[in-house]
Amino acid sequence: MKGRRFGFLMALILAMGWSFAQTPVRGGTLQIGADASPSGLDPHVATAFASFIVTGQIYEGLTEIDERLRPRPALAESWTVSPDGLTYTFKVRSGVTFHDGKPLTAGDIAFSINRVRDPKTGSPIASRVNLIKDVRATSPTQLVVELSQPFAPMLIELANIAVMSEEYVKAGNDMQRRPMGTGPFAFKEWVPDTYILLERHPRYWRQGRPYLDALRYNIVPDAATRQVGLASGTYQFLPNIDPSLAVTLRNTPNVKLITTQDLAYSLIGMNVSRKPFDNPKVREALNYALNRQQIVQAVYFGNGTPAGPLGLRSWASPQSAFPCYNTNPARARELLAQAGYPNGVDFGMIVIGSNKTVVDAAQVVQQQLAQAGFRARVEVLEQGKFIQEWRNSNFDTFASINGGNADPDGYLFRTFSTGGSTNVFKYSNPTVDRLLNQGRTTVNEEARRPIYARLQVELACQGPIAHLVYGTLFSAARENVQGFKPIPTRSLIYLRDTWLAR
């Protein structure tokens, strides 16, 4: 009996100790090991994860997306929607200040949304808000947004519009190099290819946040160096790491892996304005040549699933709906012959070199395609050069990784609509355009589902993207890093809740 009582008391003491250990501790700098240097820090034009992991701490939107992929208030305290779904009236949160100490106003938010909408900005997220007809501040704390049509993912998409200070931007500050927002951390210093330092925003509107004094993003492209650095304690947090590094770190003392499902996916993109990929049969043949399950095993170490056009589990169609997902090199050769290429095709493939998973996947894909008559000349490019070529549609094909979204429209419309802001493939399909417009303007969720089911069938085999794999999203941290929660969108908003146990 005594033994049982002793065991119970010990368990109680341990539980109490764990409880005490979970009391947040203030102070300290979180040393982050980042795999690439950002090409810039203007969130309205950025396209790379290397930028977003930094700007997500500097800026905020009217709304934000939580770990369950639901929109919730951020800089907007509340909102109302007109009965026809065309007018949103937002109450702007009071007591919010920019990092320079000046108060946030509804005018700053209107300016930021209009900056994204302005063609001169060239924002890759402009297509997400192209149903906004007008946005205006009716008072310092009230914003009115008028739509041309009902827009189902409106509140989700507003989370992607980082709010800037109108005065700061118009003063001529370089937003790529000197960002300034309302977020929990303020920009302090950037030593190119070495580190970026953010400091705690002392007047941050979320009471008591952030706990940390600073975030230091150490630029460490070499995975082995990041691994050793985390194991030794030089770095305390590695965000969004590749599967091979996760496997290596799994049993490292004093290191933990933090996981969730990733909405980002690896892909092969095809330029349909260039031969041979202007022919939909060639695009279909490429899909038949791929063995996605083999990529899951060889590149993702089993931590992934073959990717269809949508990664949102509640929206994704079963792969049985896509005949081209049944690997069949012989069928691929037949389609190439029907398209006028009986001897196969030669083409270039540029690869974003800052992502090891993509580089590894491109090598496996190159081998798979060769068995079906696709002869790819693979060229691995550094991140800045890759983004430049991608933006200019200067490729036959490319291998990369794309971010997902909490709503199907957030990914599909900008990517596949004619003239979409990230439609670098030059793809245009009237049926797809019609379905995309129906999907975003239909407010009832159940009525939207069959629309997106048909879209996935239209895009899976003959679209401009061969979707490869949705992986498990891994981050790695020292055991004393507490309070962080991962989000499938790869957002790091919970760094504001992160603290270092002593």
Side-chain angles (χ1 to χ4, degrees):
M1 190 72 178
K2 283 185 177 179
R4 290 183 181 177
R5 186 178 300 134
F6 178 77
F8 172 77
L9 288 172
M10 285 302 296
L12 181 62
I13 290 169
L14 287 171
M16 290 176 65
W18 178 250
S19 174
F20 294 143
Q22 292 305 293
T23 302
V25 177
R26 295 195 173 279
T29 297
L30 183 67
Q31 297 287 345
I32 300 170
D35 61 3
S37 182
S39 55
L41 294 175
D42 184 339
H44 294 169
V45 298
T47 59
F49 291 119
S51 297
F52 296 136
I53 64 172
V54 179
T55 60
Q57 311 311 312
I58 299 171
Y59 293 100
E60 298 172 295
L62 271 173
T63 60
E64 69 177 19
I65 306 302
D66 69 13
E67 61 272 24
R68 296 184 180 181
L69 302 179
R70 300 172 303 189
R72 64 186 179 193
L75 296 181
E77 189 174 287
S78 61
W79 53 81
T80 59
V81 185
S82 63
D84 62 4
L86 296 179
T87 303
Y88 286 69
T89 303
F90 295 91
K91 181 181 179 182
V92 177
R93 193 176 297 277
S94 60
V96 178
T97 63
F98 286 101
H99 298 147
D100 63 0
K102 295 178 180 176
L104 168 74
T105 70
D108 295 305
I109 301 172
F111 167 79
S112 300
I113 295 173
N114 284 327
R115 186 172 185 259
V116 169
R117 295 172 65 211
D118 187 349
K120 293 179 182 178
T121 304
S123 175
I125 56 176
S127 293
R128 297 185 179 190
V129 291
N130 69 348
L131 292 184
I132 292 179
K133 182 172 64 175
D134 183 50
V135 55
R136 61 188 183 277
T138 54
S139 79
T141 58
Q142 182 170 285
L143 182 80
V144 175
V145 179
E146 293 186 2
L147 306 177
S148 57
Q149 298 179 72
F151 185 34
M154 173 71 169
L155 296 174
I156 288 176
E157 295 303 354
L158 287 175
N160 296 300
I161 309 298
V163 173
M164 298 178 169
S165 162
E166 179 177 11
E167 179 182 337
Y168 186 81
V169 176
K170 289 185 174 179
N173 287 288
D174 184 352
M175 302 310 293
Q176 289 280 41
R177 298 293 165 183
R178 302 289 303 180
M180 199 270 288
T182 63
F185 294 94
F187 177 82
K188 175 66 175 178
E189 184 181 17
W190 184 355
V191 178
D193 298 319
T194 306
Y195 69 86
I196 294 173
L197 181 65
L198 308 184
E199 292 185 336
R200 182 180 188 271
H201 180 12
R203 294 173 294 274
Y204 188 50
W205 60 271
R206 294 180 193 269
Q207 189 171 6
R209 303 296 193 277
Y211 295 119
L212 295 163
D213 289 334
L215 304 175
R216 177 174 165 132
Y217 295 84
N218 301 282
I219 311 304
V220 191
D222 183 67
T225 303
R226 279 182 281 127
Q227 173 197 339
V228 172
L230 186 67
S232 67
T234 301
Y235 312 126
Q236 296 155 313
F237 183 61
L238 306 183
N240 308 336
I241 61 175
D242 62 75
S244 61
L245 182 54
V247 169
T248 303
L249 288 169
R250 192 179 298 278
N251 297 314
T252 302
N254 300 315
V255 169
K256 59 186 175 183
L257 292 178
I258 306 167
T259 65
T260 189
Q261 178 61 43
D262 199 354
L263 285 183
Y265 61 93
S266 51
L267 73 146
I268 302 298
M270 295 167 271
N271 189 338
V272 304
S273 69
R274 294 187 180 184
K275 292 182 179 300
F277 298 103
D278 59 332
N279 191 315
K281 288 187 176 181
V282 174
R283 303 196 294 270
E284 184 176 4
L286 187 144
N287 276 283
Y288 270 110
L290 293 171
N291 185 329
R292 291 169 171 84
Q293 191 58 52
Q294 185 182 76
I295 298 171
V296 169
Q297 297 302 322
V299 178
Y300 289 79
F301 299 88
N303 295 299
T305 58
L310 280 178
L312 290 161
R313 289 176 177 173
S314 58
W315 293 90
S317 294
Q319 291 176 19
S320 58
F322 317 135
C324 65
Y325 274 50
N326 296 311
T327 304
N328 191 333
R331 175 61 178 154
R333 287 185 178 275
E334 288 178 9
L335 287 166
L336 282 179
Q338 292 174 20
Y341 301 98
N343 299 318
V345 292
D346 296 276
F347 61 97
M349 179 186 295
I350 61 171
V351 180
I352 186 167
S354 59
N355 190 299
K356 183 179 185 300
T357 301
V358 174
V359 174
D360 292 347
Q363 294 172 347
V364 174
V365 166
Q366 182 184 35
Q367 295 169 4
Q368 292 178 352
L369 295 183
Q371 298 175 35
F374 287 89
R375 296 176 291 273
R377 301 181 305 277
V378 172
E379 183 181 8
V380 179
L381 302 179
E382 61 87 19
Q383 179 177 271
K385 178 64 173 176
F386 176 89
I387 291 173
Q388 180 182 0
E389 300 294 88
W390 176 85
R391 279 184 179 276
N392 294 331
S393 300
N394 189 23
F395 57 84
D396 296 330
T397 66
F398 69 82
S400 186
I401 188 165
N402 274 0
N405 193 270
D407 185 273
D409 178 79
Y411 159 58
L412 295 177
F413 189 87
R414 65 185 172 93
T415 306
F416 298 111
S417 64
T418 300
S421 52
T422 57
N423 184 354
V424 296
F425 321 95
K426 307 295 185 181
Y427 179 72
S428 181
N429 182 325
T431 299
V432 168
D433 286 344
R434 176 173 54 80
L435 291 169
L436 287 170
N437 282 306
Q438 286 179 1
R440 67 191 341 219
T441 57
T442 300
V443 177
N444 180 275
E445 184 172 308
E446 290 308 309
R448 297 179 77 202
R449 291 187 181 280
I451 298 171
Y452 286 106
R454 184 171 174 198
L455 263 169
Q456 291 174 75
V457 171
E458 288 283 339
L459 293 167
C461 293
Q462 294 191 345
I465 285 179
H467 298 80
L468 300 179
V469 176
Y470 292 101
T472 299
L473 179 59
F474 292 100
S475 291
R478 298 287 296 178
E479 285 288 358
N480 70 322
V481 176
Q482 302 291 324
F484 178 77
K485 291 186 289 188
I487 299 180
T489 60
R490 296 193 168 203
S491 165
L492 302 181
I493 60 171
Y494 287 115
L495 286 178
R496 68 188 180 216
D497 295 335
T498 301
W499 53 279
L500 299 174
R502 300 294 194 267

